[in-house]
Amino acid sequence: VNQASLTGESLPVEKMEVPRGPVGDSLLSHPAICFLGTSVSSGTATGVVVCTGRDTYFGSMAGVVTEAPEETAFDRGIAGFTWLMIRLIVIMVPLVFLINGLSGHGWRDAFFFALAVAVGLTPEMLPMIVSVCLSKGAVAMSRKKVIVKRLAAIQSVGGMDVLCTDKTGTLTMDHVILERHCDVQGNESDRVLLQAVLISHFQTGLRNLLDRAILARAEQEGVSTAGYAKVDELPFDFERKLMSVFINEPDGTHRLLAKGAPEAIFARCTSFEVEGVVRPIEQAFLDELREEYESLSNDGFRVLAVAGRTVSPSTHYTVADEHDLTLIGYVAFLDPPRDSAAPAIAALRRHGIAVKILTGDNELVTGAVCRQVGLPMEPITLGPDIERMSDDDLARAVGQGTIFARLSPAHKQRIIRVLQQRGHVVGFLGDGINDAPALHAADVGISVDSAVDIAKESADIILLEKSLMVLDEGVTEGRKVFANIRKYIRMGASSNFGNMFSVLGASALLPFVPMAPVQVLTNNLLYDFSQVAIPTDDVDADEVARPLPWDIGKLRRFILLVGPLSSIFDYTTFAIMWFVFGARDIAHASLFQTGWFVESLMTQTLIIHVIRTNRLPFVQSRASWPLIATTAVIVAVGVLLPISPIAPALGLVQLPSLYWLLLAATVLGYLVLVQLTRGVMQRRGWI
């Protein structure tokens, strides 16, 4: 029975009515149970139906896929930030209202000012910034052959620090080839290849993957069957575990040629051939012969033995003729690694992504492929072992291991959930029916355009090329998207937190509201306009070198440390307007409000150039030209607005010449202080 749809193993497995050995812990490995969704490769049987539809193993996978999607790291991050801002607004707005009302500013003015402050504190540009960043990222990723089905998955790709992937077709070519044809000593042998080709060519049964691989190699090396004719054949069956053809050779000799499992061939051999010399098999030789076969198996090859003998001419042969054979050699098959697999894994590792292999294939084949692509081998955890593990034991195994073999779909899903519980952002790459539950459970499900429909339906991202290198390029684009989203969030949240201290202090100390409601709203509108170009901004290489997960703790720390810095310079501006320009009473309220309006707009607009990079702004790292243009336009508007025709409608007045000199010093001091503070936080790993 071919169980590839459930286990991912490309080769069929034997089923029988009564188990002949240990049953094992995995339901899928039970030799007396056949499953919905699999197919019979050969043989016949009579079975009893015990489950149908959703009650079957296959049906249980369909049930998992139709469940509501898991909350991703991006969803959790946005929700955390939203609640952070809601708590800030809920605390801030009533305080502003009460302080201004009790300070004698009038309850009506206090109400409208508090309402304007609530609007100003709300990051209303966040949905637009996020949507545009994600959409722009999706377009950029499509150029890298990565198609995004769900925009929110882009951030999950950028934050991904563990990639779980199937082996077959991802690390390998998903195409079995004949890798070796050797004699019993392991030396390459054209005679062995010819014998294998004759068997595969003349058999009339359904040709499996191995037969097709043999014939493909024959075509490649120009091996011809001309002059040979088939007399009879004994088809393969799982009782004998071999098949035989009877050939009439060009010289008229009739020969039996057999190909099958080495243990089945050994049992029928009395001699072996080395360099044209036939020798009897003795116990010492038998151990050496098995050692060579086991060596090939341990290297991950699927090995078949080839044997033969001369038979008397006849037109009909039976299983009784399969005796006294001479062992000729072995044919060894492998699904070879992709050329891009090793460089891609190295690139993912450089970008801070650990790669773990989750496969239904056996540990020997998996280990051989992983060794060739540079993945650590030990320890290898098997599906039957996982059945006996508690979540804590599995967490330790997942933390230490890279390779997980002989897994069922439920095992893959469980491993992903354990990784998520340990705080990892997990991606899963798969293309089979058996991968659907894991694709559904992962933070970001990744499939390919050649995958089965259920896998593509469960995935968030589709690769147009089945290569980890394409995924690595997609990861870089995902990180750029999140880096730009994070710029706005950091800037908006820290600015709002700083404004809270400024508004509370000014409301308590001044005999008038520190800024008219219309000025608050205008300031907020202009500031938001200056940030619309953030999605176009460039991202430094060092920012996309490592995963960028949501971390509310670091965001909160950034707000608490950087936010109050703006308040320092707000208060210096208050002092300048109060002591230098004499704006101390209601008659001069417009002058005070205009001074703070311009200073607040300038500092909020220009600070993006410091927050956007870990390097020295304007020197080592420059913003994109659209972002430079929008900030320059808003700075110009801030300078010209107090002398424009609409200034009276906004309650703005012309500012003294000395103010602009003091403003330049204030803005410069603010930018320098934020840069120094950010540098200290960066070195200590606080952000």
Side-chain angles (χ1 to χ4, degrees), residues 213-537:
I214 290 172
L215 296 176
R217 184 64 176 269
E219 184 178 350
Q220 180 183 340
E221 298 197 7
V223 178
S224 175
T225 59
Y228 295 90
K230 187 180 83 167
V231 179
D232 199 2
E233 72 174 299
L234 299 174
F236 177 87
D237 67 62
F238 279 99
E239 292 292 331
R240 293 162 37 246
K241 295 188 177 180
L242 59 87
M243 68 165 297
S244 301
V245 294
F246 296 85
I247 303 296
N248 186 0
E249 297 191 328
D251 61 3
T253 303
H254 283 213
R255 282 187 62 81
L256 179 159
L257 300 177
K259 168 171 67 73
E263 60 272 18
I265 295 290
F266 286 165
R268 292 165 172 80
C269 288
T270 57
S271 59
F272 66 93
E273 181 180 314
V274 178
E275 298 178 354
V277 179
V278 177
R279 299 179 181 177
I281 292 181
E282 299 174 0
Q283 186 59 43
F285 287 142
L286 185 59
D287 292 340
E288 291 183 11
L289 293 173
R290 284 180 174 154
E291 187 177 321
E292 179 61 33
Y293 147 63
E294 290 171 356
S295 174
L296 289 169
S297 297
N298 290 336
D299 285 338
F301 291 104
R302 172 65 183 265
V303 182
L304 298 180
V306 178
R309 75 176 179 94
T310 301
V311 294
S312 300
S314 174
T315 58
H316 179 69
Y317 296 93
T318 67
V319 173
D321 293 300
E322 293 176 330
H323 64 84
D324 296 331
L325 303 182
T326 298
L327 180 63
I328 301 171
Y330 308 103
V331 282
F333 304 86
L334 189 68
D335 183 4
R338 292 179 178 270
D339 293 337
S340 63
I345 288 173
L348 288 168
R349 191 179 292 128
R350 285 195 302 272
H351 288 152
I353 299 175
V355 178
K356 296 184 184 293
I357 306 303
L358 277 55
T359 179
D361 214 339
N362 71 71
E363 62 273 22
L364 294 178
V365 174
T366 304
V369 171
C370 292
R371 184 165 52 247
Q372 294 180 60
V373 299
L375 286 170
M377 293 295 300
E378 299 295 337
I380 297 179
T381 305
L382 304 181
D385 299 329
I386 292 176
E387 292 284 348
R388 296 186 292 269
M389 289 182 179
S390 66
D391 285 348
D392 291 339
D393 293 335
L394 182 57
R396 283 190 289 271
V398 167
Q400 297 169 1
T402 298
I403 303 172
F404 301 83
R406 290 164 54 190
L407 301 182
S408 69
H411 293 149
K412 296 179 182 181
Q413 186 183 37
R414 187 180 172 201
I415 289 172
I416 288 172
R417 294 196 188 282
V418 166
L419 284 166
Q420 291 171 329
Q421 290 167 7
R422 291 170 63 91
H424 294 288
V425 178
V426 185
F428 181 80
L429 173 57
D431 63 352
I433 296 173
N434 60 310
D435 295 322
L439 287 167
H440 188 73
D443 290 294
V444 52
I446 308 162
S447 194
V448 294
D449 62 339
S450 59
V452 298
D453 289 343
I454 192 172
K456 289 191 285 188
E457 185 65 27
S458 302
D460 305 307
I461 287 176
I462 306 294
L463 305 182
L464 297 183
E465 184 177 318
K466 204 169 187 180
S467 170
L468 289 178
M469 192 62 79
V470 171
L471 178 59
D472 180 65
E473 294 175 352
V475 166
T476 301
E477 292 297 331
R479 291 178 182 177
K480 289 179 180 178
V481 168
F482 180 58
N484 282 334
I485 293 174
R486 190 173 64 174
K487 291 172 188 177
Y488 176 80
I489 290 175
R490 281 183 170 180
M491 181 184 66
S494 59
S495 175
N496 289 347
F497 187 69
N499 285 340
M500 180 180 72
F501 291 106
S502 303
V503 169
L504 287 176
S507 298
L509 297 174
L510 297 176
F512 46 82
V513 291
M515 198 182 295
V518 67
Q519 294 168 351
V520 173
L521 297 177
T522 303
N523 187 299
N524 188 57
L525 176 64
L526 294 173
Y527 161 69
D528 282 343
F529 178 80
S530 73
Q531 311 308 314
V532 297
I534 284 180
T536 71
D537 193 24

